[in-house]
């Protein structure tokens, strides 16, 4: 076991700030996740890269990352440079503790990927399988440009519907 570096631990801390001058109860990682809402492609790219580095090998912050809203923020991004967001998805989407009931206690191998991934309620299963089987670069290409193959049907109209 190697401890998480102090800076990484402080930035990914899930304890809410009680400072009167700060955002009411916002956590540092949730504030960083809000960078994904920017319309500036550089801010989104760097925000996704910082979040990816914070969450990699971080067993304390990774399981509850979905609570920041980052997945919704990233999916509503309208830009075409989706690679850094796709890489963030690849790192995090299967490691979220969002399931409840029987699905939470089931063995991961028993469930379809749509139920294992936090993206399962937002994207078609074929698109999630592209991310899982072919990696973030191929997912990024399909998500932005669309595809009509036996594996996945994804169009720009479907993306616009997701964004709206």
């Amino acid at each position: 076991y190697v401890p998480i570096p102090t800076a990484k631990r402080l930035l990914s801390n899930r304890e809410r700030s009680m400072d009167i001058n700060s955002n009411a109860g916002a956590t540092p990682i949730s504030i960083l996740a809000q960078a994904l809402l920017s319309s500036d492609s550089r801010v989104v790219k760097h925000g996704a890269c910082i979040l990816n580095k914070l969450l990699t090998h971080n067993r304390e912050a990774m399981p509850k990352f979905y609570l920041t809203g980052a997945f919704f923020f990233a999916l509503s991004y309208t830009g075409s440079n989706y690679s850094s967001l796709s890489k963030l998805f690849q790192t995090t989407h299967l490691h979220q503790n969002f399931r409840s009931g029987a699905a939470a206690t089931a063995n991961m191998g028993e469930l379809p990927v749509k139920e294992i991934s936090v993206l399962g309620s937002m994207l078609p299963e074929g698109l999630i399988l592209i991310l899982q089987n072919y990696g973030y670069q191929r997912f990024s290409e399909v998500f932005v440009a669309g595809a009509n193959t036996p594996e996945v049907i994804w169009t720009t109209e479907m993306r616009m519907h997701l964004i709206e």
Side-chain angles (χ1 to χ4, degrees):
Y1 174 76
V2 177
I4 299 171
T6 303
K8 190 174 189 178
R9 189 181 73 243
L10 291 173
L11 286 172
S12 61
N13 189 357
R14 288 192 327 219
E15 292 183 24
R16 298 197 180 275
S17 172
M18 299 308 284
D19 183 6
I20 198 163
N21 295 323
S22 70
N23 290 341
T27 63
I29 199 163
S30 67
I31 293 170
L32 285 170
Q34 291 176 25
L36 304 181
L37 289 171
S38 176
S39 59
D40 185 345
S41 62
R42 293 171 300 168
V43 172
V44 172
K45 177 184 174 185
H46 293 303
C49 289
I50 290 169
L51 288 168
N52 197 14
K53 289 180 188 285
L54 280 176
L55 293 166
T56 302
H57 306 298
N58 191 339
R59 291 184 286 170
E60 293 176 19
M62 178 74 80
K64 296 291 183 179
F65 177 60
Y66 73 98
L67 294 173
T68 65
F71 292 101
F72 291 107
F73 301 158
L75 289 172
S76 66
Y77 177 63
T78 57
S80 60
N81 58 333
Y82 215 79
S83 185
S84 58
L85 293 171
S86 297
K87 191 171 185 178
L88 178 64
F89 286 166
Q90 186 177 31
T91 303
T92 58
H93 80 108
L94 293 175
H95 303 287
Q96 303 303 301
N97 288 342
F98 67 98
R99 295 174 298 282
S100 62
T105 59
N107 185 0
M108 296 295 254
E110 298 172 359
L111 297 172
V113 70
K114 192 160 181 71
E115 292 182 29
I116 296 171
S117 173
V118 71
L119 298 172
S121 63
M122 299 174 263
L123 297 175
E125 187 171 16
L127 201 54
I128 298 168
L129 287 169
I130 294 288
L131 177 62
Q132 187 174 353
N133 296 332
Y134 297 106
Y136 72 92
Q137 291 175 328
R138 177 74 178 126
F139 174 85
S140 181
E141 292 169 7
V142 171
F143 189 80
V144 171
N148 190 359
T149 66
E151 287 181 306
V152 64
I153 297 172
W154 183 256
T155 64
T156 53
E157 291 82 18
M158 295 168 83
R159 182 176 179 201
M160 288 299 121
H161 179 73
L162 176 69
I163 291 169
E164 293 172 356

